[in-house]
Amino acid sequence: MIKLNRVGKIYNKDSANEYRALENIDFTVNDGEMVAIIGKSGAGKSTLLHVLACIDSYEEGEYYLDNLLIKNLNEKNLSHIRNSKIGIVMQDFALIDDFSCIENVMLPLDFAKVKRNVKLQKAMTALESVGMSQMAKKTVNRLSGGQKQRVAIARAIVNDPSVILTDEPTGALDTNNSAEIMSLFHLLHDKGCTMIIVTHDMEIAKQCERIIEITDGKIING
Ligand SMILES: Nc1ncnc2c1ncn2[C@@H]1O[C@H](COP(=O)(O)OP(=O)(O)OP(=O)(O)O)[C@@H](O)[C@H]1O
Ligand SMILES: [Mg+2]
């Protein structure tokens, strides 16, 4: 379960360019829920997702993930939590451009103590599920935006995370491809994953069980 209690995020705190990106964020997402986060550009959606993914710290309030307080943890603990529980698709994909698709998808498996063959197999299965297995050996910088998005999704799901966070997952896709990705998310949701989807597309948001709307770093709905 994800529980945020009056969470606030302040970039560059105590410096001249201090900026409050999140304020009093209070919500709970139960295991297996599918939730959309919507809001205008600059509202704080990506910031919120990065806090939830344990990539970014926060300055105020408390964030509990499965009853564990995510605060003041060292990098080793944080990376263990990220690798065991969380899959994230970043807005800019955050792929390594001169690695192949399969090498990118294998990255989160580097921490697991399993044989290379097993890692390859898991990465291939993840690529298959997003329809990218034929391009496994292709270098990422030769892919289209939509293809990169699929590889980023494959990387997010390769470790079988219980929580999947996605930032504009269909932003670079046409209607057909975006519907395919949404079916994949519905499948993951049916399997019991907790899904949090940041989107500006109301058609995508409406497919979720709940919509949280943020404006200027605050929840105004949901
Ligand atoms: N590293 C940073 N340092 C300072 N300010 C930042 C940083 N990252 C984001 N911000 C600011 O925080 C605010 C929220 O940014 P964020 O990226 O979370 O918005 P968003 O809702 O995801 O927007 P978009 O829909 O355009 O992706 C913006 O005003 C942004 O300029
Ligand atoms: Mg964003």
Side-chain angles (χ1 to χ4, degrees):
M1 188 175 79
I2 286 170
K3 186 163 174 43
L4 274 74
N5 183 19
R6 299 173 75 85
V7 164
K9 166 80 192 167
I10 302 161
Y11 285 114
N12 311 314
K13 194 169 174 2
D14 299 328
S15 78
N17 54 350
E18 177 172 303
Y19 183 82
R20 175 178 282 282
L22 296 175
E23 186 168 354
N24 272 338
I25 300 285
D26 248 332
F27 67 79
T28 300
V29 178
N30 289 315
D31 289 346
E33 261 196 293
M34 185 167 187
V35 177
I37 297 177
I38 62 166
K40 294 208 175 80
S41 180
K45 306 181 296 296
S46 296
T47 303
L48 177 56
L49 219 61
H50 296 167
V51 169
L52 293 175
C54 308
I55 291 171
D56 254 357
S57 59
Y58 56 95
E59 285 65 38
E60 297 164 344
E62 293 94 34
Y63 165 29
Y64 292 91
L65 177 61
D66 296 338
N67 294 319
L68 176 71
L69 176 60
I70 309 293
K71 198 162 201 171
N72 303 326
L73 298 177
N74 63 28
E75 188 47 41
K76 191 171 169 230
N77 286 332
L78 286 171
S79 68
H80 175 72
I81 293 165
R82 284 195 296 262
N83 274 296
S84 56
K85 292 182 191 275
I86 300 167
I88 182 166
V89 185
M90 309 275 275
Q91 191 165 13
D92 61 1
F93 315 132
L95 296 168
I96 300 180
D97 268 353
D98 53 2
F99 276 24
S100 69
C101 296
I102 195 146
E103 284 167 339
N104 267 281
V105 176
M106 283 170 73
L107 285 173
L109 299 172
D110 276 352
F111 303 90
K113 286 190 176 62
V114 283
K115 293 207 170 93
R116 188 173 161 82
N117 269 355
V118 178
K119 289 181 184 174
L120 275 169
Q121 189 60 51
K122 282 188 119 187
M124 205 52 167
T125 305
L127 281 170
E128 263 161 28
S129 65
V130 297
M132 284 293 292
S133 52
Q134 305 95 315
M135 298 203 185
K137 291 193 173 149
K138 202 162 174 172
T139 313
V140 160
N141 58 21
R142 288 161 187 251
L143 300 180
S144 73
Q147 290 167 340
K148 285 183 189 172
Q149 199 134 32
R150 286 159 184 276
V151 175
I153 293 169
R155 189 181 57 184
I157 62 177
V158 72
N159 257 337
D160 297 322
S162 50
V163 177
I164 298 177
L165 308 166
T166 68
D167 203 344
E168 298 286 0
T170 60
L173 304 180
D174 60 30
T175 318
N176 283 346
N177 280 311
S178 133
E180 268 181 41
I181 292 300
M182 280 312 287
S183 335
L184 174 66
F185 288 169
H186 285 298
L187 270 176
L188 291 163
H189 176 225
D190 291 344
K191 267 177 44 185
C193 291
T194 307
M195 308 288 301
I196 301 186
I197 302 176
V198 164
T199 183
H200 66 273
D201 183 342
M202 267 319 279
E203 291 309 308
I204 301 283
K206 279 194 268 179
Q207 293 182 42
C208 298
E209 296 165 320
R210 187 148 63 94
I211 299 179
I212 295 173
E213 183 173 3
I214 59 177
T215 296
D216 296 334
K218 300 186 202 72
I219 294 184
I220 55 161
N221 250 313

